[in-house]
Amino acid sequence: MPQRGLACDMVVFGGTGDLAMRKLLPALYYLHRDRHLNPDTRILALARARHEPEAYRTLVKRRISQYLPQGDFDEQVWEAFATRLDYLSLDVSQRVAFPRLAKALGESPGRVRVFYLATMPELFASTAKYLASVGLADDQARIVLEKPLGQSLETANQINDQIGSVFDESRVFRIDHYLGKEAVQNLLALRFGNALFEPLWRNAHIDHVQISVLETVGVENRGDYYDKAGAIRDMVQNHLLQLLCLVAMEAPVHFEPEAVRNEKLKILEALRPITGMDVQDHTVRGQYSEGSRAGEKLPAYYFEKSVDHDSNTETFVALKAEIDSWRWAGVPFYLRTGKATAQRKSEIVIQFKAVPHRLFPQKGDDPAGNRLVIRLQPDESIQLSLAAKSPGRGMTLQQVELDLNFAKAFKRRRWDAYERLLLDVIEGDATLFMRRDEIEAAWRWVDPIILGWQNCYRSPKRYAAGSWGPEAADSLLERQGHYWLDERSR
Ligand code: NAP
């Protein structure tokens, strides 16, 4: 198998954190195992905790052997991977610490340097500045920023200005791991690699679109961060709007960074603003109260660790977005995300319109149109529902599904999103990363919704943990003659 990739120093800030242990280091382990890392690539993890490099490697070994599926952790592979892995105890809020980092990296002309900031966003700007102060923000350097990027347009601009004063935009990689998912890229393949769907991909044929990202877990240990962010900042401003862009964008001229990002930006700019009283009509926010799942009691949000007992933070959002363009005029895009819901799932549903004239009776109360379901979680698949004749006498129709299950269709192991995205950063390919103007356009659309919620002084609607969210989220669609196409309706 050929060795891929440029020789690189991968510097992981926050190397002891949840993201590094659960996602980044396992992704690097797989890239190493499958020979996608250049033999000279080194990984340097940083955090304040004092560990000797050997003790850190032992810690990583224990953690990633827990996270990897059975059979994927191999002692021999680990031994070779561990030789790439080093650790430096360093407080990134202290400028004086950075000469030690520069010394650890040493002179390395021609090597790519990736600085992955898996720390809190409050540290991003100073980290970039201190990197520059010791000459590490040169042309060979790339910086990767995790979400959330700011709390509003204003704060996002502050971070982006500060990063931008040190790193040129072409070297800033704002990661949204949803874009690295196989099924999301398959959405692009489906739309732009097949002639079948594109002629139908418009308001003449599509009735509405639903994008749901639902989690069964509550805020777990992230109460401190989450209580200040809420679902709209944590999920809608980034993941859900990015998915919406990929569903709605025009075909880019080339599959290369600027062409793809230009098309996504046009969608964000065409989103009809939701302001003033429209916020009440077009959005629903909820917060989970006590509930249960499979007989197990689940706590209310305001009893979670590090959450304010009087918190008004939303853990659920549903909203109706509209895109003012020729292609999408009149097609509602319903977005929904929530914590502590009945099911864990991320999916995009494209509901096509019914045939103009019904010749045959339809079985059940399914809407008559075809439906395309792109599922990102828990499994990755694409399903197309078609009307078929129900067996037996008569011509009663029933929806049946053509199912493209990636695990079945492709026997090869599917890459985790972080594997693909880390390799893209090393190779300098920003196609699947967000450009600054996309972030700004997304905040410009989200800020007035947050302001509308603040101005109405209403608390979020309660929903029982383990349920499908507040009833108002169902009413939002019922008013348009639609309903959420989830397990309740299938
Ligand atoms: P975390 O578990 O709290 O880890 C934070 C890391 O930063 C730790 O390694 C911590 O180690 C280090 N750190 C904190 N202050 C530091 C300082 N002054 N100098 C050097 N290191 C410092 O957080 P996380 O869940 O990994 O998340 C990291 C970032 O990724 C956050 O911005 C989060 O929003 C984002 N994110 C996380 C996930 C996820 O799945 N976890 C998903 C998407 C985005 P020490 O305390 O030892 O310094």
Side-chain angles (χ1 to χ4, degrees), residues 183-442:
V184 172
Q185 285 159 46
N186 257 306
L187 167 63
L188 296 177
L190 189 83
R191 286 195 58 196
F192 304 130
N194 295 282
L196 196 62
F197 288 105
E198 206 44 30
L200 306 177
W201 210 260
R202 57 193 65 252
N203 49 10
H205 302 287
I206 292 181
D207 185 62
H208 70 276
V209 175
Q210 300 186 7
I211 302 178
S212 299
V213 178
L214 302 175
E215 298 172 281
T216 48
V217 293
V219 288
E220 299 182 299
N221 292 323
R222 295 173 71 220
D224 198 24
Y225 150 73
Y226 196 89
D227 207 33
K228 294 184 208 96
I232 195 155
R233 294 186 179 96
D234 188 48
M235 298 300 291
V236 177
Q237 187 273 342
N238 36 65
H239 303 316
L240 274 87
L241 287 185
Q242 284 292 316
L243 294 179
L244 177 145
C245 285
L246 296 183
V247 172
M249 71 189 221
E250 298 295 323
V253 177
H254 306 289
F255 192 62
E256 55 93 6
E258 298 325 316
V260 171
R261 300 190 298 181
N262 287 344
E263 295 306 334
K264 286 198 287 161
L265 179 64
K266 285 182 203 161
I267 294 298
L268 291 167
E269 288 179 336
L271 281 171
R272 185 178 302 171
I274 303 179
T275 56
M277 291 310 288
D278 283 349
V279 175
Q280 305 307 318
D281 292 341
H282 285 59
T283 73
V284 173
R285 63 186 199 126
Q287 187 189 88
Y288 60 88
S289 51
E290 205 176 63
S292 65
R293 184 179 307 105
E296 187 200 341
K297 272 187 119 182
L298 303 169
Y301 173 69
Y302 47 80
F303 283 137
E304 298 276 21
K305 200 171 127 202
S306 311
V307 168
D308 186 346
H309 284 344
D310 299 321
S311 175
N312 253 342
T313 300
E314 77 286 350
T315 59
F316 183 101
V317 177
L319 57 83
K320 178 183 153 198
E322 289 160 288
I323 301 170
D324 286 329
S325 70
W326 276 46
R327 189 188 278 263
W328 294 115
V331 179
F333 281 68
Y334 298 113
L335 311 187
R336 166 176 71 155
T337 183
K339 286 202 174 287
T341 58
Q343 251 198 14
R344 171 176 175 248
K345 69 144 128 207
S346 303
E347 68 181 23
I348 301 166
V349 181
I350 316 288
Q351 178 64 54
F352 289 90
K353 289 187 172 165
V355 290
H357 172 63
R358 277 199 200 188
L359 274 182
F360 310 114
Q362 179 93 16
K363 202 170 176 184
D365 42 339
D366 238 9
N370 301 107
R371 187 183 307 154
L372 185 68
V373 180
I374 298 123
R375 184 165 295 158
L376 318 178
Q377 266 169 349
D379 51 335
E380 298 192 22
S381 64
I382 295 182
Q383 288 172 341
L384 177 65
S385 76
L386 298 170
K389 181 189 162 301
S390 189
R393 243 189 108 216
M395 276 300 289
T396 303
L397 300 193
Q398 184 181 347
Q399 294 287 330
V400 288
E401 275 156 6
L402 289 180
D403 190 353
L404 173 59
N405 182 303
F406 298 121
K408 283 187 200 147
F410 303 104
K411 295 292 174 218
R412 267 170 292 150
R413 183 184 72 85
R414 278 160 305 130
W415 286 36
D416 182 75
Y418 279 98
E419 287 173 57
R420 176 172 305 105
L421 295 173
L422 283 168
L423 210 51
D424 284 353
V425 178
I426 294 173
E427 289 174 356
D429 180 350
T431 309
L432 298 175
F433 294 81
M434 293 176 288
R435 208 167 54 191
R436 176 176 178 161
D437 48 9
E438 288 180 73
I439 302 275
E440 288 172 10

Side-chain angles (χ1 to χ4, degrees), residues 14 16-19 22 48-49 90-92 118-120 146-148:
T16 56
D18 176 67
L19 182 69
R22 226 164 27 85
R48 287 169 304 183
L90 185 143
D91 184 343
V92 298
T119 52
M120 346 7 184
E146 265 294 344
K147 68 151 206 189

